Amino acid sequence: KTGSSLQRLFGKAAQTIENSGKFERELVVKTSQAKLSAKIVGFLPLILLVLIAFISTDFREGLSHPVGLISVGIGLFLDALGLLLIKSILNLEVSAQ
């Protein structure tokens, strides 16, 4: 008698396929959660900038100076750079091997 039991072999194959589907679903959920977190974290500074500019006269006055504008510009640039980095990290392709 050679080889192994077909029942055990088919059982392992079915379990492998089931686990593969489970991992793909889990990856989709985790990626969706990360995308939502990235949107919240990315747009929160913009929302706060608008709110503070609306509420605080001192902040608006600071924006009228070159140093204030440069600081806000650097902040916006870094925020955009962070969003691009997060987007590139989340650009995953799920492929069955």
Side-chain angles (χ1 to χ4, degrees):
K1 187 175 181 181
T2 60
S4 71
S5 168
L6 282 178
Q7 181 180 7
R8 188 172 50 150
L9 181 66
F10 287 143
K12 282 191 174 223
Q15 184 180 15
T16 302
I17 292 170
E18 183 179 316
N19 286 343
S20 174
K22 184 173 107 177
F23 291 141
E24 285 182 27
R25 287 188 302 274
E26 189 174 319
L27 180 62
V28 168
V29 168
K30 299 265 187 215
T31 305
S32 297
Q33 289 174 346
K35 285 180 182 179
L36 178 62
S37 296
K39 287 178 184 176
I40 292 171
V41 170
F43 289 113
L44 192 60
L46 297 174
I47 293 168
L48 288 175
L49 178 70
V50 171
L51 280 174
I52 293 172
F54 181 72
I55 294 171
S56 174
T57 56
D58 291 337
F59 187 78
R60 284 192 303 264
E61 188 177 314
L63 289 177
S64 65
H65 298 293
V67 174
L69 286 175
I70 290 171
S71 297
V72 170
I74 290 172
L76 291 174
F77 172 75
L78 291 174
D79 192 37
L81 183 64
L83 285 174
L84 288 174
L85 286 173
I86 291 171
K87 184 178 178 182
S88 69
I89 289 170
L90 291 176
N91 243 353
L92 299 175
E93 285 188 26
V94 178
S95 61
Q97 295 181 357

